[in-house]
Amino acid sequence: MTTADYIALAFFACVWMGYSWLLHGRTFFGRTSLTHAMIERRREWIYNSLRRDLKMIDTQIMAGLQNGTAFFASTSIFAIGSCFALLGATEKVDAVFADLPFVFHSGHAVFEMKVGGLAALFGYAFFKFGWSYRLFNYCTILFGSIPMLRDTERDVIAAERAAERVIRMNVIAGSNFNEGLRAIFLSIGYLGWFINPYVFMLTTATVIFVLARRQFFSQARLAIMDAGPPSNLHLSAIGRDMPSSDGRDLPEGL
């Protein structure tokens, strides 16, 4: 490996840790991150579940979170297997890279080390996704301990404690999922190392820029932030026993 390779690898590690540290803070240039905004939405969701006895919607949400985590965990396993398969085709890859421009090829040993690093990256992602799946499973069990509406009204403090346990477990599971997904995204930048270390640094910086933009400056972030209703809406409260405009009584459930 050349000096540029060591610098690019150190740059990759520092940028990854720096970005993770940035997301652990709540704001960046006065902007709340998308991740922290979603934590508040998770809290709203769990507390809303205390107001209803039928929790089929909540169990569907839990199932969706688990299924998404399981999908990425399986994908990580396939990616690890692909890396080991790539190690068995080193000579063919050498022949391909020899004909490509701007490719700095340093020999079999360095190439195998790069592939090993890529496999380690996917292995890290798999452990994060696997642990996240397990925590979402625990979260489902904790959610089952949330009291029914009648019991919630009888002992509000106990109900809120049960809800807080679910929230904390859900946030931890979501955090592990995000870390695994971040490793998957950064593996795209890591692929630049197979060309040369300068492309490696460029692709890594590009991936981090895209992730930071999504966290702090994206439309998705704006969509979940608290905002007032549009000025062109004209909403009015409708009483439960108020007659309709055409003289007929409204249904009792409206």
Side-chain angles (χ1 to χ4, degrees), residues 150-218:
R150 182 182 303 174
D151 297 326
T152 299
E153 294 173 349
R154 187 178 306 161
D155 192 347
V156 177
I157 295 178
E160 290 183 351
R161 286 176 178 173
E164 284 295 331
R165 287 194 292 267
V166 179
I167 293 168
R168 288 197 298 269
M169 186 64 70
N170 197 281
V171 169
I172 296 171
S175 176
N176 279 272
F177 177 82
N178 289 336
E179 290 176 6
L181 198 59
R182 192 179 309 144
I184 295 292
F185 287 143
L186 284 170
S187 67
I188 304 300
Y190 186 94
L191 294 177
W193 198 11
F194 290 94
I195 301 176
N196 63 59
Y198 306 104
V199 174
F200 181 23
M201 289 187 285
L202 178 62
T203 53
T204 300
T206 301
V207 170
I208 290 296
F209 173 78
V210 171
L211 294 180
R213 179 188 173 279
R214 289 178 178 178
Q215 282 287 338
F216 298 100
F217 303 97
S218 65

